[in-house]
Amino acid sequence: MSVSPPVDPAAVHRRLPESLARRLDLHWLAECASTNDEAMRLPLPDPGSLTVVGTDRQTQGRGRQARAWQSWPDASLTFSCLFAFPPGTSLAALPLAVGVALAQALHALGVSGVGLKWPNDLLVAGAKVGGVLIEAQSRSAAPIRVVVGVGLNLDLPPDFHPDGGIPATALARHLSPLPPRDALLATLLERLDAVRAAYLAGHGFAPWQEQWNALDAYRGLAVAVRDGERETVGIAAGVDDTGRLLLDTAAGRIACCVGDVSLRPLA
C-alpha cells in the first residue's frame, strides 16, 4: 500500500484561489475519533467562510446507518466541512450536490469512469472510492449547523474486503502518479465551496440535478431499493429536483426519499 505525505495546511492555502484561501479556516489533526464530531463542536463560521477539519488517522469513522467507515493512515483523505445555513434551508438533497462536486473534482484531476450511487456514494469504474455523511443540528430560528463529512480511499490494503455488496477501489488504481493530499484536498474544497455558496444563495439542488443524473452509475438498470424490511424493485430513472430517486416499477413511476435506504443493482 502506497504512502501519501501528511497534509500541510499552509500548502493547501497556497494551492487555493486567493479569494477562497482568505475564507478558509483549516484544522488538521494527527488523529481523532471522527472529523464530523470535531467539526460539530466548532463555533459556526460566518456565512461566507469555509471551516474544515481533517485528520491523518480517524479511529471511529462512520457512514450512513451507523456503518463503520474504514480508513488507513497515509492512505485516506478524511475531512469534514462545517457550514451555516439559514433556518428553513432544505437539505434533503445536499448529499447529492456534494457528490456531484466530488465527482467533478476527480474528473478535473484526470480520473475517468467517475459515477455516483444514490444517495451518497462516489464510484470509479463501478466500485466505491469514497462516501459522504452529512449531519445537521437546528434550533428554532438559529442558523442550521451542517457538517459535510467526506472519506476518500487513496489506496487499499491488499487483503481488504468491503462490507456489503459493492466493491471498493482507490484513487491510486486510477490516477498515476497520485497527487499529494494537499493538492487533492484543495481541488475538492474549491468544488465544495461552490455547493455551499449555491445553497446559501437559495438555489438548493437545482443547479446539480442534471449533472447528478448524467453521473448516475445505475440509471437504466434494474435495482432493488431497501428501506428496512421493505424492498421495491424497478428501473432506476435518475433523481427529481428534490433529490428523490425515481424508479419505474410495474405499478408506474415512484419516488424514493433520501433516508435509510440502500440501493443494489440486480443481477
Side-chain angles (χ1 to χ4, degrees):
M1 187 167 63
S2 61
V3 175
S4 177
V7 167
D8 177 4
V12 176
H13 277 84
R14 288 194 297 270
R15 292 179 182 275
L16 291 170
E18 185 179 352
S19 60
L20 176 54
R22 288 197 307 265
R23 296 184 287 106
L24 174 63
D25 182 18
L26 177 58
H27 305 254
W28 200 266
L29 310 173
E31 180 177 314
C32 71
S34 162
T35 57
N36 266 28
D37 291 347
E38 294 290 337
M40 193 64 80
R41 287 192 281 265
L42 292 176
L44 273 180
D46 295 332
S49 298
L50 179 62
T51 296
V52 178
V53 178
T55 186
D56 291 318
R57 179 180 177 84
Q58 181 173 252
T59 59
Q60 297 179 33
R62 60 184 181 274
R64 293 178 62 244
Q65 301 177 348
R67 297 187 183 98
W69 176 262
Q70 295 178 270
S71 60
W72 299 268
D74 306 320
S76 302
L77 184 59
T78 308
F79 65 95
S80 299
C81 301
L82 175 62
F83 298 152
F85 291 130
T89 302
S90 176
L91 301 173
L94 182 58
L96 281 71
V98 168
V100 172
L102 299 177
Q104 291 174 335
L106 294 190
H107 182 75
L109 289 165
V111 181
S112 59
V114 181
L116 296 171
K117 172 181 173 286
W118 185 85
N120 64 343
D121 287 342
L122 182 65
L123 311 179
V124 177
K128 184 172 179 177
V129 73
V132 178
L133 178 65
I134 294 182
E135 298 176 296
Q137 291 180 351
S138 60
R139 297 177 181 173
S140 61
I144 306 173
R145 176 185 293 267
V146 179
V147 173
V148 176
V150 176
L152 194 64
N153 299 330
L154 304 186
D155 207 347
L156 291 173
D159 58 347
F160 173 69
H161 299 287
D163 296 331
I166 185 170
T169 190
L171 279 188
R173 300 178 182 179
H174 306 278
L175 191 60
S176 182
L178 187 67
R181 284 189 291 175
D182 303 331
L184 289 170
L185 182 60
T187 302
L188 295 171
L189 291 182
E190 281 193 71
R191 303 286 182 168
L192 291 172
D193 188 59
V195 174
R196 178 204 59 78
Y199 268 78
L200 196 62
H203 301 312
F205 181 59
W208 318 99
Q209 180 190 2
E210 182 178 351
Q211 298 169 74
W212 198 97
N213 283 330
L215 290 162
D216 184 0
Y218 292 167
R219 189 165 188 174
L221 299 180
V223 297
V225 178
R226 299 184 180 92
D227 185 358
E229 297 300 318
R230 180 182 177 184
E231 178 177 279
T232 305
V233 176
I235 303 298
V239 298
D240 65 12
D241 58 0
T242 65
R244 297 181 301 175
L245 178 67
L246 301 176
L247 283 185
D248 289 330
T249 73
R253 176 166 289 188
I254 63 171
C256 302
C257 296
V258 174
D260 292 337
V261 178
S262 62
L263 179 91
R264 295 288 183 271
L266 298 179

